[in-house]
Amino acid sequence: MLGATLFLVLLCGTVPNRLMMLLTVLMLGIVLLMHFFRTPEITRLGRAIDFVSPGTPSPDRARFWTFHGAYSASELIKLGLGILLAVVLVRRRGKRTEQVVDNAAQNLSRVS
């Protein structure tokens, strides 16, 4: 929900910034992939290997760990994209703050 809300705010509430939109869409895509594909498959494989002894080789066990690694990698990629998005947002706000201060200084110099 939070990601969809951020996407809508970026889409409708501000001047469009392609980088921010791209980062948000990529993060939402990763969340959807994880929610509808990886998580159910990890759950299914976990149940399949739950009662198999640890020493017994199992193709389901290997597939489980492959999906587990992919899930972890997806989380790290999503975290990195989120950090990058936060940096872009903070830098953008800093530029706007500088513009507001400059405009206020110019207006004060005109009045004086």
Side-chain angles (χ1 to χ4, degrees):
M1 281 305 289
L2 186 59
T5 303
L6 176 61
F7 176 73
L8 290 174
V9 166
L10 289 173
L11 185 64
C12 301
T14 63
V15 177
N17 182 323
R18 290 183 187 195
L19 178 61
M20 289 191 303
M21 293 293 286
L22 176 67
L23 292 172
T24 305
V25 168
L26 285 174
M27 289 175 68
L28 281 172
I30 290 171
V31 167
L32 292 174
L33 176 74
M34 290 169 65
H35 181 74
F36 290 110
F37 179 64
R38 290 197 177 134
T39 301
E41 187 66 13
I42 288 173
T43 303
R44 186 191 69 74
L45 290 168
R47 289 179 182 155
I49 64 171
D50 201 19
F51 297 107
V52 177
S53 64
T56 306
S58 168
D60 284 340
R61 187 179 309 276
R63 187 168 161 91
F64 171 82
W65 286 111
T66 301
F67 269 83
H68 187 278
Y71 189 93
S72 298
S74 298
E75 283 289 339
L76 290 174
I77 292 169
K78 191 172 60 170
L79 176 66
L81 291 172
I83 290 170
L84 184 59
L85 179 61
V87 167
V88 169
L89 286 168
V90 167
R91 283 189 174 176
R92 183 175 179 204
R93 180 176 177 166
K95 288 180 183 176
R96 263 200 286 164
T97 303
E98 289 174 6
Q99 290 173 350
V100 168
V101 170
D102 289 343
N103 289 342
Q106 287 175 357
N107 288 338
L108 282 176
S109 67
R110 286 183 200 159
V111 173
S112 302

